[in-house]
């Protein structure tokens, strides 16, 4: 399924324009404000297979691959934008913004719980 920004696999597989003189973070600062967040993503230099599991991947291999993907994410200048995109869509597969699909489900569940806890006291104040 294609998302408004790009499909899951395309973000990681499209090669980024690379400059030999400026690091990725500096390139990000030079970009126009209206450019999509993913144009500065560190994962654009890596294979999509690092961020998305092959079918029937053994658990040990999956954990190792995910850890390596998270290391790439850790140095990414658009980590937070990527994470929020994956949470908003929500992206069901792959490592996005340094989080696996399972980790994103936990974050979303915590957000829903926090939002519902904030609504309950407000409703009591109105009713009381």
């Amino acid at each position: 399924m294609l998302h408004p920004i790009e499909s899951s696999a395309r973000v990681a597989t499209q090669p980024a324009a690379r400059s030999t003189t400026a690091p990725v973070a500096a390139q990000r600062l030079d970009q126009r404000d209206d450019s999509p967040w993913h144009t500065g993503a560190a994962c654009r230099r890596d294979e999509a297979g690092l961020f998305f599991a092959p079918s029937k991947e053994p658990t040990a291999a999956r954990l190792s691959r995910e850890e390596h993907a998270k290391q790439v994410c850790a140095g990414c200048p658009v980590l937070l934008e990527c994470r929020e995109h994956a949470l908003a869509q929500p992206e069901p597969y792959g490592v996005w913004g340094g989080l696996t699909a399972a980790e994103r489900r936990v974050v979303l569940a915590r957000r829903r719980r926090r939002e519902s806890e904030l609504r309950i006291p407000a409703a009591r104040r109105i009713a009381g």
Side-chain angles (χ1 to χ4, degrees), residues 3 5 8-9 21-22 30 38-39 49 51-52 63 75 77 82-83 87-88 90-91 93 98 103 106 113 118 128:
H3 297 288
I5 294 178
S8 300
T21 58
D30 292 338
H38 51 80
T39 59
F51 297 90
F52 297 94
L63 294 173
C82 179
R83 182 176 294 172
L87 292 167
E91 291 289 350
Y93 306 107
E103 292 166 336
V106 170
R113 187 172 36 243
L118 292 174

Side-chain angles (χ1 to χ4, degrees), residues 20-60:
T20 57
T21 58
V24 173
Q27 290 174 11
R28 173 83 173 135
L29 295 175
D30 292 338
Q31 292 174 358
R32 296 187 339 243
D33 289 338
D34 62 344
S35 63
W37 63 265
H38 51 80
T39 59
C43 63
R44 293 174 60 91
R45 294 184 300 267
D46 294 296
E47 293 296 321
L50 179 61
F51 297 90
F52 297 94
S55 62
K56 299 181 182 179
E57 181 179 35
T59 302

